[in-house]
Amino acid sequence: MSASKVSSVVHWFRLDLRLHDNLAFRNAINEAENRKHVLRPVYFLNAEKINISGINRLRFLLQSLQDLDDNLRKINTRLYVFKGKAVDCLPNLFKQWQVKFLTSQVDIDPEVVEQDEAIEKIAEELDIFIVRRVQHTVYDFNAVLRKNNGSVPMTYQKFLSLVQDIQVKEVIYINKQISDCCKATDFDCKDFDVPFLDQLIANDRTNLSECKYPGGETEALKRLDMYMSKKEWVCKFEKPNSSPNSIEPSTTVLSPYLSHGCLSAKLFYHRLKQVENGRTHTMPPVSLLGQLMWREFYYTAGAGTENFDKMVGNKICTQIPWGKNPEHLKAWAEGITGYPFVDAIMRQLKQEGWIHHLARHMVACFLTRGDLWISWEEGAKVFENYLLDYDWSLNAGNWMWLSASAFFYKYFRVYSPIAFGKKTDKDGLYIRKYVPELKKYPSEYIYEPWKAPKSIQTTAGCVIGVGYPKRIVEHDKIHKENIQKMSQAYKVNKERKAMKRPRS
């Protein structure tokens, strides 16, 4: 790579892998064309993140990057992909490309914030102008916090009251051809192409499942159009009435596209409003729009809370003396707990990278306050590795909620790993798909195979303790003990808060 003598404008794609609703990128285009600078859209593949990501998530990311590159080429530019951390790569690129202007989006992940601060310092020394836009959410979370006097709204309803009169701007689209003068001399260099999956991972790909949800803006908009055309379905959608164990998803599965930035949350908001306009429809929190607002709620909480993804040092999180049991954690993560419904969910997560939100409720409660008494932070790490729609703020917020550490405090309401799944799938079709060892079990025993007589186990071809594990805990007994532990933890936290209050 030879040093460039032409000044450059760089747009750093991160969680905005799209051309629609990308004001930061349009700012970069305008700056490059007005000043006759080279335009360089870049993306950095962090090797550390690749090493911990599940293969499904990595595949989704690469598909999204390839689609982004394809769409960029349609408007006469391209994506430059680099392997490494932005904080390590950008300082050299600043000098090599004679960068004068850098645009990107605002993020709240502490690792990213720390990286941004380091890059800003370097850019300032080199007299590089930086523009960052809030474009991963419907609302500017910092503006919402200011509206609440700098405090985090601790309830969903409080959040809704804060944003009810905020007007959401219309979505912009970038489709105009970019001037040839903005092309770099290395435009056709293959070194910057989006890598293939097998170029990044060395492990066996034979277990890679069928790609159910291809990544990219093109697929995101196609999926959005498909669901928004089902106006009656959208208007009648109620979160509690969707099925966590249907073989085909009973929700939109737009979350991976939102989390990677292939779909703008603002566009989703406007399309939902269009469908609801003039029609009778369900309301937040159970409506589809309500689901989008949960995302906004957690982003606002994450932006305003130090150590949001940890228990210690997190002012909104109840301090609970969770236990440590590596064997139980591993059994949960690999789907071998002996509870078929829990195991089916965790295996679907590992195989496909996505599980229904109510299924997430089930396994999160099981890991934490329900059965295993293991910290929600451990569960959050597993979800980070495997979820296609992993999102820093939503992951931490949901885990705190489901472990009754914050936002939700009815810790005595515990999901049953037996009864909950039966409500929507009494014959266990979901279990038979993801826990095939049990596929020949009678429906009577599919959720509780340990209750089947030995003769039935043998006939079904799977003896418990041999072909499928015994239960690692007894739910009926352990969840009652854990409720008592939670009660004690709440009592201790209440006493601590009382001691910290200033005396009058």
Side-chain angles (χ1 to χ4, degrees):
M1 293 185 287
S2 58
S4 170
K5 295 181 180 179
V6 182
S7 296
S8 297
V9 172
V10 170
H11 176 71
W12 174 11
F13 280 98
R14 300 199 286 195
L15 296 176
D16 58 335
L17 306 184
R18 61 179 187 270
L19 297 191
H20 72 276
D21 194 30
N22 199 328
L23 185 57
F25 183 44
R26 191 174 74 173
N27 292 155
I29 294 171
N30 292 343
E31 187 70 16
E33 293 196 321
N34 291 340
R35 297 183 181 274
K36 301 293 188 290
H37 288 346
V38 166
L39 175 67
R40 294 182 186 271
V42 302
Y43 187 89
F44 299 98
L45 277 169
N46 185 344
E48 290 179 10
K49 294 293 184 184
I50 288 171
N51 290 337
I52 67 166
S53 290
I55 193 167
N56 288 294
R57 186 155 150 233
L58 180 57
R59 176 173 62 181
F60 189 96
L61 171 61
L62 295 179
Q63 289 170 340
S64 300
L65 293 175
Q66 187 57 61
D67 183 68
L68 175 62
D69 185 50
D70 292 343
N71 290 335
L72 287 171
R73 289 176 188 273
K74 290 174 185 175
I75 59 171
N76 204 34
T77 187
R78 64 159 297 176
L79 186 65
Y80 291 78
V81 178
F82 294 86
K83 294 174 188 174
K85 289 183 180 179
V87 72
D88 296 329
C89 299
L90 273 174
N92 292 329
L93 296 177
F94 283 160
K95 296 174 183 177
Q96 181 186 328
W97 287 346
Q98 299 292 304
V99 175
K100 300 297 180 185
F101 200 80
L102 172 68
T103 64
S104 68
Q105 71 162 42
V106 174
D107 197 356
I108 64 171
D109 185 324
E111 286 185 28
V112 179
V113 171
E114 184 180 347
Q115 180 177 241
D116 283 351
E117 290 172 352
I119 290 169
E120 278 181 15
K121 188 174 180 182
I122 295 166
E124 187 178 341
E125 292 171 355
L126 297 173
D127 200 26
I128 297 170
F129 192 76
I130 295 180
V131 171
R132 287 206 172 90
R133 301 285 187 183
V134 176
Q135 53 190 45
H136 197 49
T137 49
V138 176
Y139 303 104
D140 182 339
F141 34 82
N142 289 318
V144 177
L145 289 168
R146 287 194 296 272
K147 198 172 180 184
N148 201 39
N149 299 317
S151 298
V152 171
M154 287 302 294
T155 68
Y156 180 79
Q157 291 302 327
K158 176 62 176 177
F159 170 79
L160 291 183
S161 72
L162 290 169
V163 301
Q164 64 180 346
D165 60 349
I166 298 178
Q167 188 171 1
V168 181
K169 292 181 180 178
E170 290 299 320
V171 170
I172 65 162
Y173 291 87
I174 299 172
N175 45 35
K176 192 184 80 152
Q177 289 287 298
I178 296 170
S179 305
D180 282 334
C181 67
C182 297
K183 274 188 176 180
T185 54
D186 57 7
F187 185 88
D188 296 317
C189 181
K190 299 292 184 184
D191 293 345
F192 307 113
D193 286 356
V194 178
F196 294 106
L197 187 61
D198 54 13
Q199 291 177 294
L200 296 179
I201 55 172
N203 56 314
D204 184 13
R205 291 179 57 194
T206 56
N207 293 323
L208 184 61
S209 65
E210 172 195 358
C211 183
K212 281 191 166 186
Y213 315 110
E217 178 182 21
T218 302
E219 181 66 25
L221 295 176
K222 176 182 171 185
R223 195 170 187 91
L224 178 67
D225 287 342
M226 178 180 72
Y227 278 97
M228 293 305 100
S229 68
K230 301 177 181 180
K231 294 180 174 58
E232 186 178 355
W233 181 84
V234 170
C235 290
K236 289 184 176 179
F237 181 89
E238 286 189 76
K239 172 186 167 181
N241 294 336
S242 54
S243 173
N245 46 8
S246 55
I247 300 301
E248 290 302 320
S250 56
T251 55
T252 64
V253 195
L254 284 169
S255 53
Y257 302 94
L258 288 167
S259 67
H260 282 80
C262 305
L263 174 64
S264 156
K266 207 186 299 177
L267 176 60
F268 191 19
Y269 172 90
H270 283 302
R271 292 293 298 275
L272 285 169
K273 282 290 190 181
Q274 287 170 12
V275 172
E276 291 182 351
N277 188 31
R279 296 181 177 91
T280 302
H281 58 82
T282 53
M283 298 293 291
V286 298
S287 64
L288 268 181
L289 184 60
Q291 299 308 291
L292 183 59
M293 289 301 101
W294 278 112
R295 182 177 187 270
E296 299 291 312
F297 170 63
Y298 282 137
Y299 254 88
T300 304
T305 308
E306 189 176 357
N307 296 313
F308 188 65
D309 60 345
K310 299 175 179 62
M311 182 178 77
V312 176
N314 181 342
K315 65 182 180 182
I316 69 170
C317 184
T318 302
Q319 304 298 297
I320 297 171
W322 301 110
K324 290 186 178 180
N325 191 319
E327 289 183 4
H328 282 184
L329 177 61
K330 184 179 180 183
W332 174 84
E334 295 184 359
I336 49 174
T337 66
Y339 283 92
F341 185 41
V342 172
D343 293 344
I345 294 168
M346 294 307 295
R347 293 186 195 186
Q348 183 190 17
L349 171 62
K350 195 169 183 179
Q351 289 171 30
E352 300 174 7
W354 183 88
I355 49 177
H356 189 280
H357 51 270
L358 294 178
R360 302 178 197 203
H361 290 196
M362 174 69 253
V363 295
C365 181
F366 186 89
L367 179 72
T368 57
R369 62 189 171 87
D371 293 79
L372 302 187
W373 199 252
I374 292 173
S375 172
W376 60 268
E377 290 182 57
E378 297 298 332
K381 290 173 189 174
V382 173
F383 272 27
E384 178 180 358
N385 291 351
Y386 291 118
L387 279 176
L388 290 179
D389 59 6
Y390 166 75
D391 187 302
W392 179 80
S393 58
L394 271 72
N395 196 45
N398 276 318
W399 273 98
M400 278 190 279
W401 180 293
L402 292 163
S403 63
S405 295
F407 308 116
F408 175 78
Y409 302 103
K410 295 179 180 179
Y411 57 82
F412 45 84
R413 289 189 177 177
V414 173
Y415 289 89
S416 165
I418 299 159
F420 186 57
K422 283 183 179 180
K423 292 178 183 178
T424 47
D425 181 23
K426 61 183 177 64
D427 291 323
L429 299 179
Y430 178 78
I431 291 172
R432 296 177 201 281
K433 177 176 180 179
Y434 293 103
V435 189
E437 309 97 292
L438 304 176
K439 65 183 177 182
K440 293 183 180 179
Y441 264 66
S443 298
E444 179 184 355
Y445 301 111
I446 193 69
Y447 284 88
E448 303 171 276
W450 58 88
K451 286 187 175 181
K454 251 319 176 23
S455 59
I456 290 179
Q457 294 184 27
T458 303
T459 302
C462 181
V463 175
I464 303 307
V466 181
Y468 181 72
K470 294 180 179 179
R471 293 177 293 168
I472 57 175
V473 292
E474 291 185 29
H475 173 74
D476 288 344
K477 178 184 176 183
I478 200 73
H479 89 274
K480 293 174 183 175
E481 294 176 5
N482 289 346
I483 287 174
Q484 294 303 313
K485 289 181 184 178
M486 287 295 293
S487 176
Q488 180 61 25
Y490 269 50
K491 183 180 178 182
V492 170
N493 275 265
K494 187 177 181 181
E495 291 171 351
R496 285 175 183 164
K497 287 180 181 178
M499 289 176 65
K500 289 181 180 179
R501 287 195 197 107
R503 295 178 181 177
S504 56

